[in-house]
Amino acid sequence: MIYKNKVSIVIPTKNAGPVLKDLLFMLTNQKTSFPFEILAIDSGSKDQTLNIIKSFPTVRLIEIP
């Protein structure tokens, strides 16, 4: 099996708040010599966390109850 990405950045979230937007901005704008993915796993946020994650199209979101 061949993987496209060498690095996975996994971010567990629940009501992460406004700090998440800054984090995702910095991660999505970093330059590397290798491919990477950003995966956010949310467990029932009730604030703006999901909207923030969805505003970054390159971040993959997995929602769990």
Side-chain angles (χ1 to χ4, degrees):
M1 177 180 273
I2 298 175
Y3 293 97
K4 181 176 119 179
N5 297 305
K6 286 190 173 189
V7 174
S8 294
I9 302 167
V10 181
I11 307 168
T13 63
K14 181 169 184 182
N15 299 324
V19 174
L20 179 62
K21 186 173 185 175
D22 292 336
L23 172 66
L24 293 177
F25 178 80
M26 288 185 281
L27 290 173
T28 57
N29 285 296
Q30 72 179 348
K31 304 297 181 215
T32 64
S33 61
F34 52 85
F36 67 94
E37 69 175 342
I38 303 169
L39 174 61
I41 303 173
D42 186 77
S43 57
S45 289
K46 301 291 185 209
D47 64 357
Q48 291 298 311
T49 297
L50 294 175
N51 290 335
I52 292 168
I53 295 169
K54 290 174 182 176
S55 73
F56 290 86
T58 58
V59 177
R60 191 162 50 120
L61 171 63
I62 295 176
E63 294 180 69
I64 57 175

